[in-house]
Amino acid sequence: MSAIKVVYFDLRARGEPIRLVLEAAGKKYEDVRLSFDEWPAEKPNSPYGQLPYIEYNGKKYGQSVALANFFAREFGLYGKTGTDGLRIDEVVAIGSDFLEAIYKAKFENDEEKKAELLEKVQSEAVPKFLGFYQKLLQENESTFGFFVGNTVSLADLFTYNVLDSLIAEKADAAKSFPPEVKKMRSAVEAHPFLRAYLAKRPQVPF
């Protein structure tokens, strides 16, 4: 049995950055994917009544960003300096804000308001956040297109997943990505461990 267990729904969403970090680090883990029907019975076993959570060396921990941050630091995907880590924290926080805008629209129950929010995401949030990403990638001047240095980090993996969430809402969204963002995504997909994982991971709604 693996010393790492990741428990989440059979989705990418907030659980996927944890998986991507572990995959990029070449670490074995148990990938537990719950159905929505299974969740009520599992909920009392989770640390905070929510998913994702992990079991690591026999102990449970929660909060998705904290978990991705922890494994990235543990396994060398958090840059080489304190300022590298600061930049990674910035990118993750930007991505969290972007996801909030996407999910606020996605899960709105009122169909008329949902349409308005989705339009606002495309007309306001998308250019704003893609602009942030483009600027930060340009500042790094990475040969391979990463946010920090010349190797993949949590910043790239978290952003990759945010952009997957955007593509899930609008299939041709990638056409509007700046060249620097496209280069970063290509670099993530070219990583040998990630290439194998991305090819085999389950196809899910988001």
Side-chain angles (χ1 to χ4, degrees):
M1 180 179 291
S2 173
I4 303 172
K5 179 190 291 187
V6 179
V7 184
Y8 192 54
F9 295 114
D10 188 19
L11 299 171
R12 294 172 191 166
R14 299 188 189 279
E16 192 69 0
I18 304 166
R19 299 182 185 122
L20 289 173
V21 167
L22 293 171
E23 293 288 344
K27 300 298 178 180
K28 293 183 178 180
Y29 64 101
E30 185 179 353
D31 186 14
V32 178
R33 294 171 177 259
L34 300 176
S35 69
F36 291 118
D37 289 339
E38 292 171 319
W39 169 232
E42 177 63 26
K43 188 173 183 178
N45 298 322
S46 63
Y48 307 114
Q50 61 187 27
L51 296 176
Y53 75 84
I54 66 164
E55 290 187 23
Y56 183 59
N57 293 331
K59 190 170 182 178
K60 295 179 181 179
Y61 302 89
Q63 296 296 324
S64 59
V65 172
L67 301 176
N69 286 352
F70 169 74
F71 284 131
R73 288 193 300 268
E74 284 288 289
F75 302 137
L77 297 169
Y78 222 80
K80 296 180 179 179
T81 67
T83 51
D84 283 351
L86 175 58
R87 178 47 50 93
I88 291 167
D89 289 342
E90 281 187 297
V91 174
V92 170
I94 289 168
S96 296
D97 289 346
F98 197 179
L99 273 181
E100 283 302 316
I102 296 170
Y103 289 162
K104 181 179 179 181
K106 183 179 183 65
F107 296 112
E108 171 59 49
N109 292 321
D110 182 285
E111 289 301 320
E112 185 174 343
K113 187 175 181 181
K114 180 175 183 175
E116 293 175 0
L117 288 172
L118 287 171
E119 172 56 33
K120 191 173 182 179
V121 167
Q122 295 300 326
S123 63
E124 297 181 19
V126 168
K128 179 176 79 171
F129 287 105
L130 289 180
F132 291 159
Y133 290 146
Q134 183 178 32
K135 177 177 179 292
L136 294 173
L137 288 164
Q138 288 172 341
E139 286 181 8
N140 186 39
E141 298 181 345
S142 167
T143 303
F144 301 102
F146 298 117
F147 280 104
V148 171
N150 276 312
T151 56
V152 71
S153 74
L154 174 61
D156 310 296
L157 302 177
F158 198 93
T159 303
Y160 188 91
N161 186 60
V162 171
L163 297 174
D164 271 358
S165 296
L166 184 62
I167 293 169
E169 298 306 310
K170 189 172 186 288
D172 64 348
K175 292 180 180 179
S176 67
F177 292 173
E180 295 85 355
V181 173
K182 290 180 179 178
K183 184 176 181 180
M184 180 275 296
R185 283 182 61 84
S186 294
V188 169
E189 291 164 353
H191 187 286
F193 294 157
L194 293 170
R195 181 170 62 241
Y197 171 70
L198 294 172
K200 70 179 183 182
R201 68 178 177 174
Q203 297 302 306
V204 293
F206 64 95

